[in-house]
Amino acid sequence: MSISGTTRLYVVLGDPVTQVQSPGLLNPLFAKLDVDAVLVPVHAPAPDLERIVAGLQAIANLDGIFVTVPHKVAAAGLADRRSPMVEITGSANALRREPDGRWYAENFDGIGFVAGLVEAGHDPQARTVFLAGAGGAGSAIAAALLAAGAERLAVCDPDSAKLVALRARLDAHWPGRTSVSAEPDTAGAGIVVNATPLGLRPDDPLPFRPDELAPRSVVADIVMKPRETRLLREAAALGHRVHYGIHMLEGQLNAYRAFFGLG
C-alpha cells in the first residue's frame, strides 16, 4: 500500500483503540479494489470526542469515520443526517461525508452481526434470543435480530433508563416481541449474545453464566480482541456452540463497500 498526496483518509475512533480489527480488514480491501485510501485507528478519549470529531470532519480529504466502543451513541448525535436504523437504535458506527459536505450516520453492527450468525448456520428466525447490553452495538443488534425474524428477544442492562428507551423504540417497529431486565434472564434462549465490553480485559466479570444456559446453546460475543474471551472459553468447555466477535465485522464488509462507494 502506497500513501501519497492523493490518498483518501478514513479513521476508526475508540477508547481504547488497541483492540480494533477494522484496519486489518479494510486496508487489504482498499488494496484489492485498487482504492487509494487508508484507514487508521484514532484513540479518542470520551471527554474529547466532540472536539476530535469536529476536527476530523474539517479535514478535506477525510471521507469516513468508523466508530467503536464507547462512542456509538454519542456519534449518532454528531452527524447532520441519520439513517432509519440509527434513529431506531440511537447509535451509529459509521459516518460518511456527503457530496454537500454534510455527514450522514449509519449503523451496520446489527446487520453485520446477523449476517455472521446466518453464515455460521445460526439463523435467528423464529428463535428466542437473549442479549446482554443495550448500548450502541447492543441496540443495533437488537433491531437487526427482530428484523431478521427473532420471535422473542430478552435484553439485559443495568441502566434501566437505557432499557426502557430501547424497548420503546423497538416496540414501535416490532410490538410485543422484546422484554427487558436489569439482571440476565436466559431462560428459553437458544442464542445468547454478549454485546457489552465485558471480556476486553482478562479480569472482567462474565456478562452472564454459561452454566445456566440450555444445552448446546449458541453463545456469541462481539468482543474481537481477545478472540477467545473468558465467556467463549467457558461456554465451549460446557459444550455450547461459540460464535466469535470477528464475524460481526466480516459481515459488514459488503455493506461498507456500498455505503462508501468503494466499488
Side-chain angles (χ1 to χ4, degrees):
M1 178 177 61
S2 176
I3 297 176
S4 71
T6 62
T7 300
R8 308 302 296 181
L9 304 180
Y10 294 82
V11 299
V12 52
L13 305 180
D15 182 22
V17 80
T18 54
Q19 81 285 357
V20 297
Q21 303 293 301
S22 48
L25 290 178
L26 269 296
N27 287 322
L29 179 63
F30 292 149
K32 178 181 177 182
L33 299 174
D34 198 26
V35 172
D36 185 11
V38 62
L39 171 65
V40 297
V42 172
H43 186 185
D48 303 319
L49 179 66
E50 189 170 347
R51 188 157 51 97
I52 290 170
V53 170
L56 289 169
Q57 290 174 335
I59 297 173
N61 64 332
L62 187 131
D63 291 338
I65 299 172
F66 295 88
V67 186
T68 189
V69 65
H71 300 318
K72 294 178 183 181
V73 173
L78 299 178
D80 302 299
R81 304 185 183 112
R82 284 163 284 280
S83 73
M85 180 59 79
V86 171
E87 297 290 358
I88 293 170
T89 64
S91 67
N93 79 330
L95 279 67
R96 175 184 71 197
R97 187 194 298 276
E98 299 284 77
D100 63 4
R102 295 189 178 188
W103 287 81
Y104 181 82
E106 184 56 277
N107 196 321
F108 297 107
D109 277 338
I111 62 171
F113 178 79
V114 169
L117 270 186
V118 172
E119 179 70 20
H122 310 310
D123 194 330
Q125 186 171 13
R127 305 285 297 275
T128 295
V129 184
F130 166 79
L131 173 69
S139 297
I141 290 169
L145 286 166
L146 292 170
E151 185 174 345
R152 296 290 304 167
L153 176 67
V155 184
C156 163
D157 196 288
D159 188 329
S160 58
K162 188 186 296 183
L163 274 179
V164 170
L166 174 60
R167 182 170 60 181
R169 294 195 303 270
L170 296 176
D171 279 350
H173 296 268
W174 303 281
R177 288 162 59 187
T178 303
S179 62
V180 297
S181 62
E183 297 295 328
D185 180 9
T186 58
I191 300 175
V192 294
V193 184
N194 174 39
T196 78
L198 294 176
L200 282 173
R201 293 167 292 273
D203 57 346
D204 280 343
L206 291 172
F208 49 83
R209 292 180 53 178
D211 61 339
E212 294 181 345
L213 304 177
R216 295 283 295 162
S217 294
V218 176
V219 181
D221 203 329
I222 71 165
V223 171
M224 297 183 197
K225 189 177 180 180
R227 180 178 186 269
E228 199 88 40
T229 60
R230 177 188 165 198
L231 173 67
L232 296 184
R233 284 198 310 273
E234 294 194 10
L238 290 166
H240 298 301
R241 293 166 289 174
V242 298
H243 186 77
Y244 297 99
I246 193 65
H247 295 306
M248 182 174 77
L249 181 57
E250 291 171 341
Q252 297 179 58
L253 285 180
N254 286 334
Y256 286 149
R257 286 180 61 174
F259 183 66
F260 289 109
L262 299 175

